[in-house]
Amino acid sequence: MSSDPPQALAVPRSVLDTDLYKLTMQQAVLYHFPDIDANYRFTNRSHNAQFSLQCAERFRAAISRKCLVRFQHRTRWLILVQGFSELALTPAEKDWLAVTCPYLTQDYLAYLSSYRYKPEQVDVIFVPGSETSGEFGNISIDIRGPWAEAIMWEVPLMACLSETYFQVVDTDWDYTGQEDFAFQKGKTILEAGCSFSEFGTRRRRSYTTQDIVMQGLMRASNVCKTGTFNGTSNVHLAHKYGVSPIGTIAHEWFMAVAALKGYENANLTALALWEDVYYTKATLIALTDTFSTECFFSELEKDPERVQRWQAIRQDSGDPFQFGPRAKRFYESLNIDPSRKTLVYSDSLDVEKVLRIKAQCNSLELPQVAFGIGTFLTNDFRSISSGLANKSKPLNIVIKLFSVNGFPCIKISDDLTKNTGDAAAVENVKRTLHLPCN
């Protein structure tokens, strides 16, 4: 059984208990699109996992009202009264952000200090699975509000739902050995000379799990003389453990820009708008697969100077072993030395896949490779009842941008199971971008 107290609702520990890219995108939205409204929707990709009515009610309670939150500090349980709407940036957090993330402006930090979650922006509905048994089913989540506000809900809501599910639906697990598992994973990756970050906030089993994982990874980093543990995407835990918060751009930036500005050369438009905010101030890492990686490379070939400015590209769907050779050909076609660019891999990674990708990149003479590892670190458990022989499967859940100002947002992934958005809109955009249609 989980060691979390059953009455603990899974609210974040801080307004910074989220991924860095939500802050960087929020700042960019305020800069370019301060008056745009947004709608986000939830998808449960775990076809065999159902939520219980109790799970839905606890999840809704965590969002909608003040609640008692109990957490362990050393040997005592401390009780605080808080909820989403009570979360606020502290002066210490603000000072730390100003030093650690100088690309976040003082105006933005002032905005973040005043930011409060508004539970009325989130609508949660339990959908029973059948007429004869209403105890289990699915959950509908609909988020609506100004884009600059609604953008902050995605990551903590997913973390909250995952933790709630593993508190009351799947309880056949515990924390035994989790720090050592994380240590061994980190040690193996580092000893292979790899550079990696922890990316597991969105689908973590619990806050406690991610905190334990960070302890194991920090221990591995301290004993290994090779490889690099770069930090964590979770800003709160980066602050807690004195490491760098790590982040790139999410698909929603490209999706929204395309919906608002047009799909022709949408990747170039999205990158140009991002540069307006971050060029010379932050590392520029381009996400390649919002409208397929081939579409991304085709567009970027038209603008070699922009390709020079962006230090890295990130692979997040499709076959990772096709990505390295394709990226090398792309850079070489523009007379750019591929060995000076960084490839970032972040799609469903585990230790074995990381080591294989690293070996391939070494053989391709691509020395600058980094990995963002998520669910494999923060939701890798075995079921107790099976004698630890079987996995306790993590949820596969997403919250994606559905529309901006009423315009539908779509994603055409290199993995067909990750396509999102209205089916008719997806096919229309495929024709616009000259991509294969169904």
Side-chain angles (χ1 to χ4, degrees), residues 20 23-24 27 94-106 108-109 235 244-246 278 281:
L20 177 66
L23 305 189
T24 53
Q27 177 172 257
K94 181 180 178 182
D95 291 345
W96 175 79
L97 282 174
V99 173
T100 306
C101 306
Y103 45 83
L104 299 178
T105 68
Q106 288 300 314
Y108 171 69
L109 293 179
V235 188
S244 296
I246 304 296
Y278 294 109
K281 300 173 185 175

Side-chain angles (χ1 to χ4, degrees), residues 114-294:
S114 66
Y115 176 84
R116 300 294 184 275
Y117 285 102
K118 298 176 181 177
E120 63 270 20
Q121 294 175 342
V122 182
D123 186 27
V124 177
I125 299 173
F126 176 70
V127 183
S130 69
E131 294 181 2
T132 57
S133 174
E135 183 63 27
F136 288 88
N138 209 343
I139 288 178
S140 167
I141 305 173
D142 191 88
I143 306 164
R144 296 177 185 269
W147 190 16
E149 296 178 3
I151 196 170
M152 291 289 279
W153 280 106
E154 175 202 355
V155 172
L157 273 190
M158 289 177 62
C160 176
L161 179 58
S162 179
E163 182 164 353
T164 303
Y165 175 87
F166 286 106
Q167 285 178 334
V168 299
V169 179
D170 180 353
T171 61
D172 187 19
W173 60 277
D174 64 20
Y175 291 113
T176 302
Q178 277 295 306
E179 183 180 341
D180 285 337
F181 295 154
F183 170 76
Q184 291 298 332
K185 292 172 183 177
K187 184 171 179 287
T188 302
I189 292 168
L190 292 170
E191 287 178 341
C194 298
S195 172
F196 80 101
S197 303
E198 185 276 312
F199 273 18
T201 303
R202 296 184 304 153
R203 298 188 184 101
R204 68 193 184 194
R205 183 143 304 202
S206 65
Y207 171 84
T208 299
T209 302
Q210 193 172 16
D211 193 40
I212 290 171
V213 165
M214 280 299 298
Q215 293 172 38
L217 296 179
M218 292 294 294
R219 187 154 59 94
S221 179
N222 289 334
V223 302
C224 292
K225 305 303 180 185
T226 56
T228 306
F229 176 53
N230 293 315
T232 173
S233 62
N234 187 293
V235 188
H236 162 68
L237 290 173
H239 182 207
K240 177 176 180 178
Y241 287 100
V243 298
S244 296
I246 304 296
T248 59
I249 316 174
H251 296 102
E252 71 174 282
W253 179 254
F254 296 85
M255 294 164 66
V257 168
L260 294 167
K261 301 287 188 179
Y263 284 89
E264 292 284 354
N265 297 315
N267 288 294
L268 285 172
T269 303
L271 297 182
L273 293 174
W274 193 261
E275 283 186 55
D276 288 344
V277 183
Y278 294 109
Y279 181 52
T280 75
K281 300 173 185 175
T283 301
L284 300 177
I285 304 175
L287 183 59
T288 62
D289 69 329
T290 308
F291 308 113
S292 83
T293 295
E294 281 306 312

